[in-house]
Amino acid sequence: MDRSAAQLQLIPAPAGGAVDAADEAVDLLLDSGRAPGDILVLTTADQHPWAAHELSFGEAAYWAQHDAGDDVFFARTVNAGRCASRSVVVVAVNGDLDDSAARALSDMRERAGELLVACGDPQKINSALGAGV
């Protein structure tokens, strides 16, 4: 494993509770003084409700918020390649970890500056990352 890989924090949660667990992790990060613009939240299946709401105003406005980089940003792992690296990446494994989602999770471990928080089934996450956590 690359020494520059971010620290991994695993939060066990069922797929149906992964988004709630991710939201709680974000709240804790913000409460501990982390800047909102340092945090990217990704979901492996359905969009986070915030992202779904913001996308209702159009993709241009949605991605403009990402580019501004001054607030927590929410996206799906399928769009992870379009997202800029941030210090903290929170991934909600809210569905099956198919090959592309598993690759995105592994890539985020490299792209997160300091911390990758993975919320979901520990066995699936460990398998996707190829390491016991």
Side-chain angles (χ1 to χ4, degrees), residues 42-64:
L42 298 172
T43 57
T44 60
D46 292 338
Q47 281 281 16
H48 187 281
W50 179 92
H53 172 76
E54 293 301 317
L55 279 165
S56 72
F57 299 106
E59 285 222 11
Y62 171 75
W63 287 106

Side-chain angles (χ1 to χ4, degrees), residues 99-114:
D99 288 345
S100 64
R103 260 192 315 280
L105 181 61
S106 184
D107 290 348
M108 284 299 113
R109 178 113 194 240
E110 301 301 322
R111 291 184 56 204
E114 299 170 29

Side-chain angles (χ1 to χ4, degrees), residues 12-100:
V19 170
D20 288 339
D23 286 344
E24 289 174 23
V26 169
D27 288 344
L28 287 172
L29 288 162
L30 294 172
D31 289 347
S32 71
R34 184 69 70 170
D38 287 349
I39 304 170
L40 171 65
V41 179
L42 298 172
T43 57
T44 60
D46 292 338
Q47 281 281 16
H48 187 281
W50 179 92
H53 172 76
E54 293 301 317
L55 279 165
S56 72
F57 299 106
E59 285 222 11
Y62 171 75
W63 287 106
Q65 289 184 11
H66 166 269
D67 296 341
D70 56 4
D71 205 352
V72 178
F73 189 76
F74 299 82
R76 291 184 61 221
T77 52
V78 295
N79 294 320
R82 187 170 175 183
C83 295
S85 294
R86 296 209 178 182
S87 297
V88 179
V89 178
V90 179
V91 179
V93 182
N94 61 333
D96 288 335
L97 259 177
D98 61 20
D99 288 345
S100 64

